[in-house]
Amino acid sequence: MEFKLEGPVLEGETVRLEPLGHRHAADLALAAEEGRDSFGYTWVPRAAEVGGYIDAQLERAADGRLAPYAQVSLATGRAVGATAYLEPRLWRSGGRLLAVEVGFTWLAPSAQGTGLNAEAKLLLFRQAFEGWQVSRVDLKTDARNSRSRAAIAGTGARFEGVLRNWSESWAPGEHGRLRDSAVFSITEAEWPGCRTGLEARLAAGRAARC
């Protein structure tokens, strides 16, 4: 049987990750237009482009190489961003996942810094390591995106280096240009410590908000 990457619904205390669909379009259009200063290196559609954005992600999902999500705030019930599993790598025998990447992540400015991103990463990593039993999770970002690099490092992922001219740039105005990608990872052996760190970070955030 041909492998297809499919992500289940994942729910925490502040966020529910739902497989992306056009039912999320209206919410994502609002989220994308809250303020775009933090989207300089990330593919985030304008409100009028959300339908096409969802179509493009679902087309990628159809070939089994992408599992896109809407990030839904449990406090409001609204989609406030997106994320995805992508680039699955399989063991040669058995078709079981060896590694997967987490990416295509963006959040509305009002959801940034709330702990929602950290919990979403915890849910995604836990499904990868404990559900699918992968040996490695990859994360990549534009090497110039210091904010994204800091956020990834904050999850406990380890910086591995920069791949030069690695992929097409998603930065506005850079269509047809290549970007350098900063690469991070978490291995199976590192996951328990990473999980403990993320859980402690989320608990501290909840305590501070009480």
Side-chain angles (χ1 to χ4, degrees), residues 89-163:
R89 301 197 299 282
L90 309 180
W91 289 98
R92 285 195 299 271
S93 60
R96 187 170 63 86
L97 266 179
L98 166 65
V100 71
E101 183 175 342
V102 170
F104 283 122
T105 301
W106 62 272
L107 281 172
S110 62
Q112 296 174 17
T114 64
L116 192 149
N117 178 63
E119 186 172 48
K121 291 297 192 295
L122 175 63
L123 295 171
L124 291 162
F125 296 163
R126 188 167 63 199
Q127 171 61 28
F129 286 110
E130 300 176 18
W132 294 330
Q133 298 184 322
V134 302
S135 294
R136 172 186 168 106
V137 168
D138 302 323
L139 302 102
K140 295 197 295 286
T141 190
D142 192 304
R144 299 168 293 180
N145 193 342
S146 57
R147 182 185 184 121
S148 178
R149 290 175 64 159
I152 293 172
T155 69
R158 182 175 298 184
F159 175 61
E160 294 188 332
V162 173
L163 299 175

Side-chain angles (χ1 to χ4, degrees), residues 14-28:
T14 62
V15 64
R16 182 172 60 251
L17 302 180
E18 301 177 354
L20 181 67
H22 282 282
R23 67 189 181 282
H24 302 114
D27 286 348
L28 291 180

